[in-house]
Every structure is written in structure tokens, then in C-alpha cells.
Amino acid sequence: MELCLCKTLWGVEDAGDPSSWESIFSKISKEGYKAVEVVPAFSFRGHEEAFRKILTKYDLSCVVQVHTMGGYFRNDEYIYLANTKLDDHINSLHDAVEEVVAAVGPHLLFINCHSGHDSWGIENAVTYLQEASRIGEKFDVRILHETHRQRLFFNPYVTRDILRHPSISGQIELTADLSHWVCVCENIFDEDTPRDEDWWPETLELVASHTALIHCRVGYTEGPQVADPLDPESKEATEAHLKWWAAIWENQAKRGFCQSWNEPEHGPPPYLQVLPYTQQPVADLWNINTSVRNLLKDRFEKKFLNQNES
């Protein structure tokens, strides 16, 4: 199985400016990434043809992130989630997928969706996901649902119960961003502790069996992103996330995957911590994601090289 790396444009300076794309995409390609992840309103919207051309030039695939009942600007304010009505979210997803397919064309790898709302019960969630599957079939695209705060899969317990529902069993693909769960649950999950031993291994395996893309960000118990995953103070959190990502790789390999898609996804402020008064970021975001990329490559190569040699 090959490790395939996706570069997020979240927090990349001038990523929404087509005049900067040549330098940005050239650098991304040289650093070994095979895809980029973008949000339409912050990237290609209004510049679709130029975007397709730059993807073609650097032979990059594209993951497009969409936000149901969001994804647009109103009076210079980005609307992330306007309401919690089920039908509105379904219709919003349909329209977003239609836009993405037309804009990105053959470069589209996945649609990564921030789906629904965390207030929904299981039945609303299942109804939405069934409709999402139909939309994916209609447009012949793979729609992944991210484990993200505010959204359907905002914690591991709800995620477990949704994925086990007989009406959608085996039909859902996820983007696994486990940093959100660490923050929501205020816990670095550990199967060797009494708190987690009875549920976490099974839940992680269930999530792994549905994961198509990993958002590789290291969270901690009070937030979704450590300042620097190489900081000794973050060692416990970093090692835990690497262990969980490796569990997903193992599951993907068992399922016969030829490629495992992974995306270093540390983000800009307010995810990235800043100094008081000056709001100066405490670290360089591109360098942080490069560090995560290097951690991934090292851990992946050691794991699968050792398996191949044994």
C-alpha cells in the first residue's frame, strides 16, 4: 500500500488568488503531494478554468471540502452553518456536489463534507446519510463525511451508533479527523486504561473500516490542535494520534487498499495558537504541516517496510 499525501490549502497565504497559484502549486508538487484539499469559496469559485489548468499542469488530484448549509459569503462574512433543518442540509449538499463536479471535473478525488448538525438524533442522521449516498450515486462521486465538531460525527459514541445502524451499514465513508474527538471528549483515548478499554478499540476499528481519508492533525484534551507536534510537551498526544492513524492504515491494507490518503491538516489561527496582544502565530504553519508529513512518512515506511520484510 502506498502512502499518498494531500496538501490542505487552508491557511496557505494567497491560496485564493489565481496569480499566486503557479508558485504555490509548484511548491506543493515538489514536496511530493499528490492532491490538494480546497474549499470552493476560498479557492476556485469564479476561477474554475484556471484552477483545472493548474491541477492539470502539476498532475494533482483534488479533494473539495463542502459545508452543508454553508459555504458562501454574506456581507463579507463566511457562512459555515446557517440552520439545522434536515431538508435544507440535503438540498445544500446536492447543490454543493453539483457545483464541485462541474468545477473540478476529472481531477476530483473526494468530496469531504461537514455534514448535518450535532443536535440531530440518529434517525435524522440516517435519513441525511441515505440521501447523501443517493447524491453521490447520481453524480458518480465519493462523498466522505468528516468527524468534525458541530456536525453529525462530532464524537466517537454518536459515530459508533450511526455507523452500526442497519439502514446504512457499510455504506458510509469517512474523513477521520480524530483531533476533534480528543477535544470534545477531553481525553486522549487509550485502550490500556479502564476509562477506554471497553469501547475504544472496537470503535476505532469501526471508524477505520469506514475511513477513506485521514486528516492528520494532533489535538489535545483542551483543543483540536497542539502548537507543535514535535514539542516534547505534545509527545503523548502526537504518539497517540500516530498510533490511531496506523490502526487505520492496517485496516485499509486488510481491505485491499492500494493507496492510503493522508493529509497533514494543522490550520491557521484560531486553531494555531497566537500571542496575546500582537496575535502573532506561535509557529509557522507550513513548517508544522511539513513536520507532520515527515512523521507520517517515517511511521508509514517503518510499519509497512517491516511487514514486507518479515
Side-chain angles (χ1 to χ4, degrees):
M1 187 170 68
E2 177 188 7
L3 177 70
C4 292
L5 294 168
C6 181
K7 176 67 177 178
T8 180
L9 295 192
W10 180 36
V12 174
E13 188 175 357
D14 295 326
D17 179 4
S19 67
S20 298
W21 286 351
E22 176 62 35
S23 61
I24 292 171
F25 281 75
S26 173
K27 185 176 182 181
I28 288 169
S29 179
K30 288 177 182 176
E31 292 189 2
Y33 293 94
K34 294 180 178 293
V36 294
E37 179 166 0
V38 301
V39 176
F42 296 99
S43 57
F44 61 71
R45 189 172 287 159
H47 308 284
E48 290 83 356
E49 184 177 358
F51 188 69
R52 290 191 297 270
K53 285 182 177 179
I54 199 73
L55 292 175
T56 299
K57 180 175 182 177
Y58 289 103
D59 193 24
L60 291 166
S61 297
C62 189
V63 178
V64 181
Q65 184 179 127
V66 302
H67 308 144
T68 59
M69 282 313 298
Y72 58 92
F73 283 91
R74 180 193 295 151
N75 298 327
D76 295 326
E77 177 188 2
Y78 183 75
I79 304 300
Y80 174 69
L81 198 158
N83 72 44
T84 64
K85 295 177 181 178
L86 174 61
D87 288 344
D88 287 352
H89 280 261
I90 293 170
N91 293 333
S92 171
L93 177 61
H94 180 281
D95 293 346
V97 172
E98 187 171 39
E99 176 194 18
V100 168
V101 169
V104 179
H107 302 283
L108 183 62
L109 179 63
F110 307 122
I111 290 177
N112 176 37
C113 188
H114 291 196
S115 285
H117 193 253
D118 57 10
S119 66
W120 291 357
I122 296 294
E123 293 308 314
N124 267 6
V126 168
T127 298
Y128 168 86
L129 291 167
Q130 288 173 324
E131 291 300 317
S133 293
R134 294 187 184 101
I135 293 168
E137 291 173 2
K138 175 181 176 179
F139 290 100
D140 192 26
V141 296
R142 293 172 69 181
I143 300 175
L144 317 182
H145 305 277
E146 185 172 341
T147 60
H148 200 285
R149 290 171 297 158
Q150 286 198 66
R151 299 296 186 161
L152 286 185
F153 297 109
F154 72 103
N155 76 38
Y157 320 113
V158 170
T159 300
R160 174 193 60 199
D161 294 345
I162 292 174
L163 294 179
R164 285 177 175 171
H165 196 283
S167 297
I168 56 171
S169 178
Q171 299 178 27
I172 306 305
E173 289 192 287
L174 297 177
T175 296
D177 187 339
L178 304 181
S179 67
H180 288 289
W181 289 357
V182 171
C183 175
V184 167
C185 298
E186 295 187 318
N187 182 42
I188 297 175
F189 311 109
D190 184 352
E191 69 271 19
D192 295 325
T193 64
R195 184 195 188 284
D196 301 325
E197 62 183 359
D198 292 334
W199 69 275
W200 176 243
E202 182 180 1
T203 300
L204 179 58
E205 187 68 13
L206 180 64
V207 169
S209 70
H210 289 78
T211 295
L213 172 66
I214 308 173
H215 271 186
C216 300
R217 186 174 59 248
V218 178
Y220 64 109
T221 53
E222 302 303 330
Q225 179 174 305
V226 298
D228 185 342
L230 299 184
D231 183 346
E233 292 184 357
S234 300
K235 182 177 181 179
E236 179 188 5
T238 300
E239 285 300 318
H241 284 73
L242 284 165
K243 183 178 180 180
W244 303 334
W245 301 335
I248 295 174
W249 299 337
E250 287 181 356
N251 187 283
Q252 290 177 331
K254 289 176 184 176
R255 287 189 281 153
F257 279 38
C258 296
Q259 299 174 322
S260 176
W261 283 98
N262 294 254
E263 180 179 327
E265 212 229 0
H266 281 241
Y271 275 65
L272 179 58
Q273 292 84 350
V274 297
L275 296 174
Y277 303 107
T278 65
Q279 302 303 298
Q280 179 71 26
V282 300
D284 180 276
L285 182 59
W286 191 288
N287 290 342
I288 290 295
N289 279 323
T290 298
S291 295
V292 175
R293 181 201 65 182
N294 293 340
L295 286 171
L296 288 170
K297 291 174 68 175
D298 180 68
R299 190 62 58 96
F300 189 92
E301 289 170 4
K302 285 180 179 177
K303 185 172 189 62
F304 285 96
L305 181 62
N306 289 341
Q307 286 183 359
N308 293 335
E309 292 178 346
S310 62

